[in-house]
Amino acid sequence: MDKNSILAGRRGVTENNIPRWVAMYLCRDIGGHKLTPIAEYFGLKRIGSISNTIAKLRALMEGDKKLARAVAKIKSGYDT
């Protein structure tokens, strides 16, 4: 996945951009970044979009154990 496809928002698109969601989640969870800088980085006008996206990803991971394992594996590479 390249950086542009993660950073580019696709408003109104019905399919989920899971890599983008994971990147936002990791910025918050691992990086400890505040919502405003994350929203700015991803080109979002509303910081609430970050919280909503993270909540959607968490719900998705509950039903998709393969995705949950993949995110956990990424996170484990950053845990100190």
Side-chain angles (χ1 to χ4, degrees):
M1 182 85 354
D2 69 0
K3 180 180 176 181
N4 289 335
S5 63
I6 291 174
L7 292 179
R10 296 181 294 175
R11 219 181 146 98
V13 174
T14 56
E15 71 183 53
N16 299 330
N17 187 346
I18 305 300
R20 180 177 169 88
W21 293 8
V22 171
M24 290 178 189
Y25 169 75
L26 295 175
C27 284
R28 183 79 168 136
D29 194 59
I30 293 173
H33 298 287
K34 304 270 185 203
L35 296 178
T36 300
I38 296 171
E40 289 171 358
Y41 187 77
F42 284 92
L44 299 170
K45 293 179 183 176
R46 296 181 321 114
I47 62 170
S49 299
I50 302 296
S51 298
N52 292 338
T53 297
I54 290 172
K56 287 191 291 188
L57 177 66
R58 285 187 174 143
L60 189 60
M61 287 192 302
E62 284 182 20
D64 185 342
K65 297 306 175 193
K66 183 177 178 183
L67 175 61
R69 283 191 302 271
V71 172
K73 184 176 180 180
I74 294 168
K75 282 180 61 173
S76 71
Y78 292 93
D79 287 341
T80 55

